């Protein structure tokens, strides 16, 4: 499914990172930003997502505080 909606939501919230569709039909990615904004993005990914997507489950891992952002924007990887 198109990740443009995920990009738009990320940019609206002001988080950075990336998203990618996998060959298994799932989506993987990384989100960085203020904890409150990251939590809003996680909620959106869990409950809303792209209009054409079906969300069976979400899994968030490797959560940690960082001193600086690794990304300058949010984009789709191919």
């Amino acid at each position: 499914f198109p990740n443009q909606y995920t990009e738009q939501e990320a940019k609206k919230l002001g988080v950075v990172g990336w998203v990618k569709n996998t060959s298994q039909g799932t989506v993987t990615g990384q989100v960085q930003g203020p904890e409150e904004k990251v939590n809003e993005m996680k909620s959106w990914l869990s409950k809303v997502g792209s209009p054409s997507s079906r969300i069976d489950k979400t899994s968030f891992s490797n959560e940690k505080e960082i001193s600086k952002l690794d990304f300058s924007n949010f984009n789709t990887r191919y």
Side-chain angles (χ1 to χ4, degrees):
F1 63 91
N3 286 315
Q4 68 192 38
Y5 298 99
T6 304
E7 284 187 36
Q8 286 172 355
E9 188 66 18
K11 286 172 179 157
K12 187 175 92 179
L13 290 173
V15 294
V16 297
W18 56 271
V19 66
K20 178 182 177 179
N21 294 322
T22 71
S23 56
Q24 293 84 33
T26 62
V27 176
T28 187
Q30 189 170 359
V31 177
Q32 295 181 349
E35 185 177 14
E36 173 190 327
K37 298 299 182 186
V38 169
N39 286 337
E40 285 183 50
M41 188 69 192
K42 285 165 57 177
S43 177
W44 184 87
L45 289 166
S46 301
K47 299 181 174 86
V48 185
S50 301
S52 58
S53 66
R54 190 184 89 224
I55 303 167
D56 293 325
K57 72 178 183 124
T58 51
S59 173
F60 301 102
S61 60
N62 195 25
E63 296 186 51
K64 61 186 181 223
E65 284 194 27
I66 55 175
S67 56
K68 67 178 182 61
L69 301 173
D70 296 320
F71 310 97
S72 58
N73 58 13
F74 194 95
N75 56 38
T76 299
R77 292 186 175 178
Y78 298 97

